[in-house]
Amino acid sequence: TAKVVIVQFAKEKGPIDELKHLLYQTTGRGEALVFQNGQAIKTTWEKPDRLARTLFKDDKGKEMKFVRGQMWIEVLPAGQEVTY
């Protein structure tokens, strides 16, 4: 089980081949949802380039602090609705 679950919304492209693979743009900026300690927090994410670390920021622009433990990051198409 994960202590933190993040839903990262990213631009989707595809299918790109006969096997129907999809690509997600995980550089740049976007919206995210962070679930931890029984709360759902609307956040943003940013990653300037492919080798950089993805940063998740709160509504004040400060980097999110996560509870210690396993983390699960799920990428969904931008604009996808999440029910919780």
Side-chain angles (χ1 to χ4, degrees):
T1 61
K3 293 277 191 175
V4 178
V5 175
I6 299 173
V7 179
Q8 179 178 345
F9 298 100
K11 184 177 177 183
E12 179 183 66
K13 179 181 177 183
I16 60 165
D17 58 19
E18 66 277 351
L19 298 176
K20 305 203 184 307
H21 288 111
L22 301 171
L23 290 179
Y24 292 91
Q25 183 177 344
T26 56
T27 56
R29 296 170 185 235
E31 295 181 358
L33 288 170
V34 174
F35 297 92
Q36 66 179 358
N37 292 333
Q39 296 182 319
I41 306 160
K42 291 184 180 183
T43 65
T44 58
W45 64 269
E46 62 182 55
K47 183 175 180 176
D49 59 61
R50 188 177 64 85
L51 298 177
R53 182 171 69 99
T54 303
L55 298 176
F56 295 92
K57 297 187 175 186
D58 64 17
D59 59 351
K60 294 181 173 91
K62 292 188 176 190
E63 190 172 347
M64 287 286 302
K65 294 187 186 239
F66 299 110
V67 295
R68 195 168 230 177
Q70 288 187 332
M71 180 182 290
W72 181 272
I73 301 175
E74 187 70 33
V75 179
L76 292 179
Q80 179 78 34
E81 184 177 332
V82 174
T83 304
Y84 51 93

